[in-house]
Amino acid sequence: MNRDYRYWKQLKEELLEAAPGLGIDKLGVTTAEPFHELKERLIRHRERGHESGFEEPDLDLRTDPSLHMPEAKSIIAIAVAYPTKLKNAPVSVPGRRRGILARSAWGEDYHQALRRRMANLSEWILERVPDAMLLPMVDTGALSDRAVAERAGIGWSGKNCSVLSPELGSWMYLGEMITSLPLPPDSSLPDDCGDCTLCIDACPTGALVGPGQLNAQRCISFITQTKGFVDDEMKLKIGNRLYGCDTCQIVCPVNRKVDIRHHVELLPDPEVVKPLLRPLLSMGNREFKEKFGSSSAAWRGRKPIQRNALIGLGNFRDAESVPDIVTVLRNDPRPELRESAAWALGRIATPEALEGLREAREGEESVEVLGAIDRALEQRSN
Ligand code: SF4
Ligand code: SF4
């Protein structure tokens, strides 16, 4: 068969028609050229100390598709939309306070959801081009999903650092497949943020240090995923977020009315995505896996979620949870949890909470936890 330009153009048109049947909401194509501009930006980002630490350290791997596949000719970018509204959301009341997971972690783990679609896409291509070389990439941290999606015309890069699709907003999972097929590329979309700065203004921590510039060290989304101690300023900003932060996406006008619910496996279970906080404190590993194992929020294990639950109870000043928090402060072997428990008790500051702090101080050996206990007690005596 003569595979000339018309052949690849026709194949791409057929692929665009087939995409919804493959579970894909938006599909675009870009060349396999290196992402030169992105590399410059990543170098500056690193120099400023704004990386999260979760990134692939090799900037060439992140910006040059040919390092992953020397025969690369094009990259197919896909987007899969996820729901944004929680129907029948349980109410958070004193004594039964609840936390919240970011919308990207609501349904089935997106790694699974995207991998299945990549498998569908590979099968569809190989049926038509058996000698195609295909390399699906799902959150490998290697190529930048956002840069690929932007160049492939899925959306423009918003000031909140999300890719914004006119149809799906930024509520979408992104994945890409490097291919040896010379598919005709799409054009990127014009930036439509205009004068709007709602996301920058709404960010609780000032993590959006400029349009499209994120200091991940101050971003709640990253901080909720760390496993260590969280400083007290950030604890206040975390609120009741257990995993991730959606604020700069929620305020975005492009996102406001978007709620795509046709992928049933991505629909949220309200008790999982807005769970009661107190039961999380004593949750064992098995229980954690049963409750959160199918969500991408589980990728860092239970410790960050339990630490964030303590922070949430402190921010709610939930007096009824004091006995549970005191139990953590006395008995939990993980200092990061005891430190957050001490902070939460200092915020709640009922006589029972202060008593719990004083008692725990006697047997505590961790410098960080002792510091948190002393700060909590000092604040109350001032
Ligand atoms: Fe700010 Fe939250 Fe957006 Fe991070 S995710 S930039 S903390 S609003
Ligand atoms: Fe752009 Fe405004 Fe959305 Fe921010 S909130 S990404 S500035 S449209």
Side-chain angles (χ1 to χ4, degrees):
M1 186 188 305
N2 182 17
R3 289 180 185 166
D4 58 8
Y5 176 76
R6 273 174 308 173
Y7 172 86
W8 297 113
K9 187 164 177 285
Q10 171 73 22
L11 186 76
K12 184 181 158 191
E13 277 162 21
E14 286 170 19
L15 176 57
L16 284 168
E17 268 173 41
L22 303 173
I24 296 167
D25 294 306
K26 204 162 174 187
L27 184 147
V29 174
T30 184
T31 67
E33 292 296 304
F35 292 79
H36 293 299
E37 201 199 317
L38 173 66
K39 188 169 175 190
E40 297 301 312
R41 263 195 286 138
L42 293 176
I43 290 170
R44 288 197 298 274
H45 192 62
R46 178 170 290 177
E47 283 169 355
R48 292 182 183 130
H50 288 174
E51 289 184 320
S52 69
F54 296 143
E55 302 91 350
E56 158 65 55
D58 185 334
L59 297 187
D60 289 324
L61 280 179
R62 283 167 73 189
T63 54
D64 188 352
S66 72
L67 295 179
H68 301 276
M69 183 198 282
E71 303 80 0
K73 296 251 173 27
S74 68
I75 313 174
I76 301 174
I78 69 164
V80 178
Y82 53 81
T84 63
K85 309 270 190 275
L86 193 56
K87 309 254 159 137
N88 307 316
V91 193
S92 181
V93 291
R96 292 177 61 78
R97 291 296 187 186
R98 292 175 180 271
I100 189 81
L101 303 186
R103 285 155 179 73
S104 61
W106 274 9
E108 180 192 35
D109 185 337
Y110 66 88
H111 298 91
Q112 311 289 348
L114 283 172
R115 271 191 208 114
R116 243 189 348 266
R117 281 146 176 104
M118 288 294 184
N120 295 343
L121 182 58
S122 297
E123 196 182 335
W124 189 94
I125 295 173
L126 289 171
E127 272 172 14
R128 287 153 185 87
V129 189
D131 58 342
M133 297 177 68
L134 307 172
L135 181 61
M137 307 187 98
V138 173
D139 202 19
T140 57
L143 280 191
S144 159
D145 300 333
R146 290 177 188 175
V148 173
E150 190 189 350
R151 205 168 76 181
I154 298 282
W156 76 92
S157 185
K159 289 179 190 167
N160 62 4
C161 299
S162 301
V163 175
L164 287 170
S165 145
E167 306 88 18
L168 311 177
S170 58
W171 308 118
M172 55 187 176
Y173 301 126
L174 300 172
E176 61 271 348
M177 182 183 281
I178 305 179
T179 86
S180 59
L181 318 179
L183 297 170
D186 288 290
S187 311
S188 52
L189 297 183
D191 183 330
D192 205 13
C193 281
D195 295 338
C196 176
T197 56
L198 285 173
C199 51
I200 295 174
D201 303 340
C203 175
T205 60
L208 289 168
V209 290
Q213 284 178 45
L214 178 74
N215 178 359
Q217 297 297 323
R218 289 191 65 80
C219 176
I220 294 169
S221 187
F222 290 103
I223 294 168
T224 56
Q225 298 175 54
T226 59
K227 292 185 175 178
F229 297 102
V230 172
D231 69 40
D232 291 353
E233 179 207 350
M234 287 297 167
K235 287 193 188 92
L236 284 173
K237 308 280 187 189
I238 283 176
N240 68 335
R241 297 175 183 87
L242 292 172
Y243 179 87
C245 168
D246 283 336
T247 301
C248 57
Q249 295 186 82
I250 290 170
V251 298
C252 178
V254 184
N255 277 336
R256 212 159 279 160
K257 293 204 175 116
V258 182
D259 180 26
I260 292 172
R261 312 183 71 82
H262 57 230
H263 302 297
V264 285
E265 74 280 19
L266 301 181
L267 291 173
D269 173 346
E271 286 297 331
V272 173
V273 307
K274 195 179 172 191
L276 286 167
L277 292 172
R278 283 167 69 185
L280 298 182
L281 305 187
S282 54
M283 180 177 57
N285 252 332
R286 181 141 50 106
E287 209 186 321
F288 172 73
K289 282 195 184 120
E290 275 166 18
K291 188 156 177 119
F292 296 104
S294 63
S295 160
S296 58
W299 81 285
R300 299 282 285 166
R302 73 190 158 124
K303 186 161 88 169
I305 290 192
Q306 290 181 308
R307 180 201 60 200
N308 301 340
L310 289 159
I311 294 172
L313 289 166
N315 280 320
F316 279 124
R317 295 202 154 107
D318 190 53
E320 291 184 46
S321 63
V322 166
D324 308 67
I325 304 176
V326 169
T327 302
V328 174
L329 181 59
R330 276 205 198 123
N331 302 331
D332 200 286
R334 295 160 295 180
E336 298 85 357
L337 264 70
R338 301 201 302 281
E339 194 265 356
S340 292
W343 177 86
L345 291 171
R347 291 270 299 162
I348 299 170
T350 56
E352 190 192 2
L354 298 177
E355 188 52 33
L357 282 164
R358 282 187 210 102
E359 273 178 28
R361 199 183 188 295
E362 299 307 311
E364 183 57 59
E365 288 181 354
S366 154
V367 177
E368 287 86 359
V369 183
L370 281 169
I373 293 175
D374 288 346
R375 284 195 304 280
L377 289 171
E378 269 163 32
Q379 273 168 19
R380 296 307 136 198
S381 58
N382 287 337

